[in-house]
């Protein structure tokens, strides 16, 4: 019989992050090609870019990088897709299939402190202390932290126990892994 732990460090993938050169064009392609549905904009043209030392530390960005736009989409019944439009002097082309790595994945966790302990014990490097989430995810008791896997890929631990809130033009609610 399989030995399943009574307390799991993660419920599953919450979202996958993708940096694109033009957020609107990427959204239109994903909607057309894959029936992606708009969930919400975390950062728009009307907002100030996310930038500065705290943002760079929390998200592992190089100095001077700016997140210009951020959008959450949902494709089918699975993890969400978080799009970023970022300006940076050190921006490189996307990885190829044979290259190791991704932008980031986000794992939904029930107990972020327990998950952080497991990450540290396994050799992950936290980029910062646990911090709050951004717009539409910033409900009571929310928490987030990014870490680097031993090979350098960026992974986020995220807990949103009191759920999300949505703008009036949302076309879908965020998918959350079930326990």
């Amino acid at each position: 019989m399989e030995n399943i732990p009574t307390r799991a460090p993660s419920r599953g993938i919450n979202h996958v992050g993708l940096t694109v050169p033009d957020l609107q064009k990427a959204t239109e392609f994903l909607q057309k090609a894959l029936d992606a549905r708009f969930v919400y904009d975390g950062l728009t043209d009307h907002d100030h870019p996310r930038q500065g030392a705290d943002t760079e530390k929390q998200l592992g960005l190089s100095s001077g990088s700016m997140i210009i736009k951020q959008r959450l989409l949902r494709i089918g019944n699975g993890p969400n897709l978080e799009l970023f439009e970022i300006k940076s002097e050190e921006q490189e082309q996307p990885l190829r299939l044979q290259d190791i790595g991704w932008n980031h994945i986000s794992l939904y966790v029930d107990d972020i402190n327990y998950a952080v302990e497991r990450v540290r014990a396994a050799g992950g490097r936290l980029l910062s202390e646990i911090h709050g989430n951004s717009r539409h995810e910033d409900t009571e008791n929310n928490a987030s932290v990014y870490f680097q896997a031993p090979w350098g890929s960026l992974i986020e631990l995220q807990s949103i126990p009191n759920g999300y809130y949505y703008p009036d033009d949302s076309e879908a609610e965020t998918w959350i892994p079930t326990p």
Side-chain angles (χ1 to χ4, degrees):
M1 180 172 197
E2 185 177 339
N3 185 8
I4 300 173
T6 57
R7 186 167 141 187
S10 172
R11 284 178 29 193
I13 294 174
N14 177 273
H15 67 262
V16 175
L18 175 65
T19 299
V20 297
D22 184 306
L23 186 128
Q24 188 57 38
K25 287 181 181 176
T27 298
E28 291 167 4
F29 168 78
L30 293 165
Q31 288 173 327
K32 184 176 180 180
L34 302 170
D35 291 332
R37 293 178 290 159
F38 172 79
V39 179
Y40 57 74
D41 282 329
L43 193 62
T44 70
D45 287 332
H46 304 293
D47 297 312
H48 293 288
R50 285 183 68 192
Q51 61 185 355
D54 285 345
T55 298
E56 291 164 4
K57 179 180 179 183
Q58 288 176 355
L59 304 178
L61 298 171
S62 61
S63 180
S65 295
M66 297 184 294
I67 302 174
I68 306 299
K69 297 177 195 167
Q70 181 182 354
R71 175 172 291 156
L72 199 71
L73 300 176
R74 184 160 169 202
I75 300 173
N77 185 23
N80 306 290
L81 182 61
E82 185 176 30
L83 301 180
F84 290 94
E85 186 174 324
I86 299 174
K87 301 296 180 203
S88 176
E89 294 293 321
E90 295 184 33
Q91 202 163 40
E92 296 184 18
Q93 293 300 307
L95 297 175
R96 299 167 295 169
L97 187 60
Q98 73 265 20
D99 297 328
I100 298 170
W102 54 71
N103 173 298
H104 81 281
I105 62 168
S106 173
L107 302 174
Y108 191 94
V109 298
D110 292 314
D111 183 339
I112 198 162
N113 292 307
Y114 174 67
V116 163
E117 289 173 21
R118 295 280 302 260
V119 165
R120 282 186 175 137
R125 185 180 72 80
L126 296 171
L127 299 184
S128 70
E129 297 300 315
I130 296 170
H131 55 84
N133 289 297
S134 57
R135 184 184 311 156
H136 302 288
E137 304 166 344
D138 55 351
T139 53
E140 188 176 342
N141 297 318
N142 76 82
S144 179
V145 67
Y146 283 76
F147 69 91
Q148 283 186 314
W151 59 90
S153 292
L154 192 60
I155 301 172
E156 178 184 20
L157 300 174
Q158 189 173 48
S159 183
I160 308 169
N162 291 298
Y164 297 77
Y165 58 95
Y166 303 93
D168 292 339
D169 59 349
S170 282
E171 297 173 349
E173 290 188 1
T174 302
W175 178 83
I176 300 173
T178 56

PDB file of all heavy atoms in Angstrom, residues 60-80:
ATOM      1  N   GLY A  60      13.262  38.283  -8.030  1.00  0.00           N
ATOM      2  CA  GLY A  60      14.499  37.843  -8.661  1.00  0.00           C
ATOM      3  C   GLY A  60      14.807  38.578  -9.955  1.00  0.00           C
ATOM      4  O   GLY A  60      15.447  38.026 -10.844  1.00  0.00           O
ATOM      5  N   LEU A  61      14.384  39.840 -10.071  1.00  0.00           N
ATOM      6  CA  LEU A  61      14.615  40.641 -11.272  1.00  0.00           C
ATOM      7  C   LEU A  61      15.969  41.330 -11.202  1.00  0.00           C
ATOM      8  O   LEU A  61      16.455  41.672 -10.123  1.00  0.00           O
ATOM      9  CB  LEU A  61      13.523  41.710 -11.419  1.00  0.00           C
ATOM     10  CG  LEU A  61      12.091  41.215 -11.587  1.00  0.00           C
ATOM     11  CD1 LEU A  61      11.111  42.366 -11.508  1.00  0.00           C
ATOM     12  CD2 LEU A  61      11.940  40.465 -12.899  1.00  0.00           C
ATOM     13  N   SER A  62      16.565  41.572 -12.352  1.00  0.00           N
ATOM     14  CA  SER A  62      17.818  42.314 -12.379  1.00  0.00           C
ATOM     15  C   SER A  62      17.546  43.797 -12.116  1.00  0.00           C
ATOM     16  O   SER A  62      16.437  44.293 -12.313  1.00  0.00           O
ATOM     17  CB  SER A  62      18.526  42.116 -13.727  1.00  0.00           C
ATOM     18  OG  SER A  62      17.721  42.600 -14.785  1.00  0.00           O
ATOM     19  N   SER A  63      18.574  44.496 -11.700  1.00  0.00           N
ATOM     20  CA  SER A  63      18.462  45.909 -11.349  1.00  0.00           C
ATOM     21  C   SER A  63      17.914  46.721 -12.519  1.00  0.00           C
ATOM     22  O   SER A  63      18.358  46.574 -13.653  1.00  0.00           O
ATOM     23  CB  SER A  63      19.842  46.436 -10.943  1.00  0.00           C
ATOM     24  OG  SER A  63      19.762  47.797 -10.611  1.00  0.00           O
ATOM     25  N   GLY A  64      16.930  47.551 -12.234  1.00  0.00           N
ATOM     26  CA  GLY A  64      16.340  48.414 -13.251  1.00  0.00           C
ATOM     27  C   GLY A  64      15.182  47.799 -14.013  1.00  0.00           C
ATOM     28  O   GLY A  64      14.541  48.471 -14.827  1.00  0.00           O
ATOM     29  N   SER A  65      14.876  46.533 -13.780  1.00  0.00           N
ATOM     30  CA  SER A  65      13.758  45.893 -14.471  1.00  0.00           C
ATOM     31  C   SER A  65      12.429  46.464 -13.986  1.00  0.00           C
ATOM     32  O   SER A  65      12.291  46.847 -12.826  1.00  0.00           O
ATOM     33  CB  SER A  65      13.761  44.385 -14.220  1.00  0.00           C
ATOM     34  OG  SER A  65      14.898  43.788 -14.781  1.00  0.00           O
ATOM     35  N   MET A  66      11.466  46.509 -14.889  1.00  0.00           N
ATOM     36  CA  MET A  66      10.142  47.042 -14.560  1.00  0.00           C
ATOM     37  C   MET A  66       9.066  46.126 -15.124  1.00  0.00           C
ATOM     38  O   MET A  66       9.102  45.784 -16.308  1.00  0.00           O
ATOM     39  CB  MET A  66       9.933  48.424 -15.187  1.00  0.00           C
ATOM     40  CG  MET A  66      10.867  49.493 -14.693  1.00  0.00           C
ATOM     41  SD  MET A  66      10.461  51.112 -15.410  1.00  0.00           S
ATOM     42  CE  MET A  66      10.835  50.817 -17.135  1.00  0.00           C
ATOM     43  N   ILE A  67       8.116  45.742 -14.277  1.00  0.00           N
ATOM     44  CA  ILE A  67       6.951  45.001 -14.760  1.00  0.00           C
ATOM     45  C   ILE A  67       5.948  46.054 -15.232  1.00  0.00           C
ATOM     46  O   ILE A  67       5.436  46.837 -14.441  1.00  0.00           O
ATOM     47  CB  ILE A  67       6.345  44.109 -13.670  1.00  0.00           C
ATOM     48  CG1 ILE A  67       7.396  43.121 -13.162  1.00  0.00           C
ATOM     49  CG2 ILE A  67       5.115  43.378 -14.210  1.00  0.00           C
ATOM     50  CD1 ILE A  67       6.941  42.285 -11.982  1.00  0.00           C
ATOM     51  N   ILE A  68       5.696  46.080 -16.528  1.00  0.00           N
ATOM     52  CA  ILE A  68       4.829  47.080 -17.144  1.00  0.00           C
ATOM     53  C   ILE A  68       3.365  46.662 -17.063  1.00  0.00           C
ATOM     54  O   ILE A  68       2.489  47.467 -16.752  1.00  0.00           O
ATOM     55  CB  ILE A  68       5.231  47.301 -18.628  1.00  0.00           C
ATOM     56  CG1 ILE A  68       6.713  47.648 -18.737  1.00  0.00           C
ATOM     57  CG2 ILE A  68       4.359  48.351 -19.286  1.00  0.00           C
ATOM     58  CD1 ILE A  68       7.123  48.907 -18.021  1.00  0.00           C
ATOM     59  N   LYS A  69       3.082  45.404 -17.386  1.00  0.00           N
ATOM     60  CA  LYS A  69       1.719  44.875 -17.367  1.00  0.00           C
ATOM     61  C   LYS A  69       1.741  43.457 -16.828  1.00  0.00           C
ATOM     62  O   LYS A  69       2.732  42.737 -16.982  1.00  0.00           O
ATOM     63  CB  LYS A  69       1.117  44.855 -18.780  1.00  0.00           C
ATOM     64  CG  LYS A  69       0.969  46.207 -19.422  1.00  0.00           C
ATOM     65  CD  LYS A  69       0.448  46.057 -20.839  1.00  0.00           C
ATOM     66  CE  LYS A  69       0.631  47.333 -21.623  1.00  0.00           C
ATOM     67  NZ  LYS A  69       0.414  47.112 -23.049  1.00  0.00           N
ATOM     68  N   GLN A  70       0.612  43.053 -16.241  1.00  0.00           N
ATOM     69  CA  GLN A  70       0.472  41.712 -15.683  1.00  0.00           C
ATOM     70  C   GLN A  70      -0.991  41.294 -15.834  1.00  0.00           C
ATOM     71  O   GLN A  70      -1.887  42.069 -15.512  1.00  0.00           O
ATOM     72  CB  GLN A  70       0.881  41.732 -14.218  1.00  0.00           C
ATOM     73  CG  GLN A  70       0.827  40.425 -13.493  1.00  0.00           C
ATOM     74  CD  GLN A  70       1.220  40.593 -12.039  1.00  0.00           C
ATOM     75  OE1 GLN A  70       1.629  41.662 -11.592  1.00  0.00           O
ATOM     76  NE2 GLN A  70       1.082  39.533 -11.269  1.00  0.00           N
ATOM     77  N   ARG A  71      -1.225  40.087 -16.328  1.00  0.00           N
ATOM     78  CA  ARG A  71      -2.598  39.624 -16.591  1.00  0.00           C
ATOM     79  C   ARG A  71      -2.709  38.142 -16.277  1.00  0.00           C
ATOM     80  O   ARG A  71      -1.799  37.362 -16.548  1.00  0.00           O
ATOM     81  CB  ARG A  71      -2.951  39.867 -18.047  1.00  0.00           C
ATOM     82  CG  ARG A  71      -4.300  39.312 -18.471  1.00  0.00           C
ATOM     83  CD  ARG A  71      -4.671  39.742 -19.867  1.00  0.00           C
ATOM     84  NE  ARG A  71      -4.949  41.177 -19.840  1.00  0.00           N
ATOM     85  CZ  ARG A  71      -4.853  41.972 -20.912  1.00  0.00           C
ATOM     86  NH1 ARG A  71      -4.496  41.489 -22.083  1.00  0.00           N
ATOM     87  NH2 ARG A  71      -5.123  43.247 -20.808  1.00  0.00           N
ATOM     88  N   LEU A  72      -3.853  37.752 -15.723  1.00  0.00           N
ATOM     89  CA  LEU A  72      -4.126  36.348 -15.475  1.00  0.00           C
ATOM     90  C   LEU A  72      -5.188  35.868 -16.461  1.00  0.00           C
ATOM     91  O   LEU A  72      -6.225  36.519 -16.628  1.00  0.00           O
ATOM     92  CB  LEU A  72      -4.610  36.126 -14.045  1.00  0.00           C
ATOM     93  CG  LEU A  72      -4.485  34.694 -13.541  1.00  0.00           C
ATOM     94  CD1 LEU A  72      -3.027  34.329 -13.310  1.00  0.00           C
ATOM     95  CD2 LEU A  72      -5.258  34.508 -12.246  1.00  0.00           C
ATOM     96  N   LEU A  73      -4.894  34.745 -17.116  1.00  0.00           N
ATOM     97  CA  LEU A  73      -5.815  34.103 -18.049  1.00  0.00           C
ATOM     98  C   LEU A  73      -6.095  32.692 -17.551  1.00  0.00           C
ATOM     99  O   LEU A  73      -5.322  32.134 -16.767  1.00  0.00           O
ATOM    100  CB  LEU A  73      -5.198  33.998 -19.451  1.00  0.00           C
ATOM    101  CG  LEU A  73      -4.793  35.279 -20.149  1.00  0.00           C
ATOM    102  CD1 LEU A  73      -4.125  34.951 -21.480  1.00  0.00           C
ATOM    103  CD2 LEU A  73      -6.001  36.181 -20.368  1.00  0.00           C
ATOM    104  N   ARG A  74      -7.172  32.140 -18.038  1.00  0.00           N
ATOM    105  CA  ARG A  74      -7.471  30.745 -17.727  1.00  0.00           C
ATOM    106  C   ARG A  74      -7.751  30.009 -19.026  1.00  0.00           C
ATOM    107  O   ARG A  74      -8.509  30.488 -19.862  1.00  0.00           O
ATOM    108  CB  ARG A  74      -8.674  30.642 -16.803  1.00  0.00           C
ATOM    109  CG  ARG A  74      -8.953  29.219 -16.399  1.00  0.00           C
ATOM    110  CD  ARG A  74      -9.780  29.152 -15.159  1.00  0.00           C
ATOM    111  NE  ARG A  74     -10.231  27.781 -14.963  1.00  0.00           N
ATOM    112  CZ  ARG A  74     -11.270  27.466 -14.249  1.00  0.00           C
ATOM    113  NH1 ARG A  74     -11.979  28.406 -13.653  1.00  0.00           N
ATOM    114  NH2 ARG A  74     -11.621  26.211 -14.118  1.00  0.00           N
ATOM    115  N   ILE A  75      -7.119  28.868 -19.179  1.00  0.00           N
ATOM    116  CA  ILE A  75      -7.302  28.042 -20.359  1.00  0.00           C
ATOM    117  C   ILE A  75      -7.871  26.707 -19.886  1.00  0.00           C
ATOM    118  O   ILE A  75      -7.199  25.956 -19.182  1.00  0.00           O
ATOM    119  CB  ILE A  75      -5.977  27.825 -21.116  1.00  0.00           C
ATOM    120  CG1 ILE A  75      -5.406  29.172 -21.576  1.00  0.00           C
ATOM    121  CG2 ILE A  75      -6.172  26.878 -22.286  1.00  0.00           C
ATOM    122  CD1 ILE A  75      -4.016  29.099 -22.177  1.00  0.00           C
ATOM    123  N   GLY A  76      -9.112  26.426 -20.252  1.00  0.00           N
ATOM    124  CA  GLY A  76      -9.724  25.155 -19.881  1.00  0.00           C
ATOM    125  C   GLY A  76      -9.864  24.985 -18.388  1.00  0.00           C
ATOM    126  O   GLY A  76     -10.035  25.953 -17.647  1.00  0.00           O
ATOM    127  N   ASN A  77      -9.752  23.740 -17.927  1.00  0.00           N
ATOM    128  CA  ASN A  77      -9.898  23.415 -16.520  1.00  0.00           C
ATOM    129  C   ASN A  77      -8.555  22.959 -15.980  1.00  0.00           C
ATOM    130  O   ASN A  77      -8.264  21.784 -15.893  1.00  0.00           O
ATOM    131  CB  ASN A  77     -10.945  22.301 -16.343  1.00  0.00           C
ATOM    132  CG  ASN A  77     -11.203  22.021 -14.884  1.00  0.00           C
ATOM    133  OD1 ASN A  77     -10.963  22.868 -14.031  1.00  0.00           O
ATOM    134  ND2 ASN A  77     -11.672  20.833 -14.588  1.00  0.00           N
ATOM    135  N   GLY A  78      -7.726  23.918 -15.667  1.00  0.00           N
ATOM    136  CA  GLY A  78      -6.399  23.602 -15.161  1.00  0.00           C
ATOM    137  C   GLY A  78      -5.746  24.843 -14.615  1.00  0.00           C
ATOM    138  O   GLY A  78      -6.403  25.858 -14.400  1.00  0.00           O
ATOM    139  N   PRO A  79      -4.448  24.790 -14.415  1.00  0.00           N
ATOM    140  CA  PRO A  79      -3.737  25.943 -13.866  1.00  0.00           C
ATOM    141  C   PRO A  79      -3.938  27.204 -14.708  1.00  0.00           C
ATOM    142  O   PRO A  79      -4.159  27.136 -15.913  1.00  0.00           O
ATOM    143  CB  PRO A  79      -2.271  25.505 -13.898  1.00  0.00           C
ATOM    144  CG  PRO A  79      -2.320  24.021 -13.909  1.00  0.00           C
ATOM    145  CD  PRO A  79      -3.560  23.667 -14.678  1.00  0.00           C
ATOM    146  N   ASN A  80      -3.865  28.322 -14.035  1.00  0.00           N
ATOM    147  CA  ASN A  80      -3.990  29.623 -14.685  1.00  0.00           C
ATOM    148  C   ASN A  80      -2.682  29.971 -15.386  1.00  0.00           C
ATOM    149  O   ASN A  80      -1.640  29.390 -15.109  1.00  0.00           O
ATOM    150  CB  ASN A  80      -4.322  30.683 -13.624  1.00  0.00           C
ATOM    151  CG  ASN A  80      -5.546  30.281 -12.830  1.00  0.00           C
ATOM    152  OD1 ASN A  80      -6.649  30.282 -13.345  1.00  0.00           O
ATOM    153  ND2 ASN A  80      -5.346  29.899 -11.580  1.00  0.00           N
TER     154      ASN A  80
END
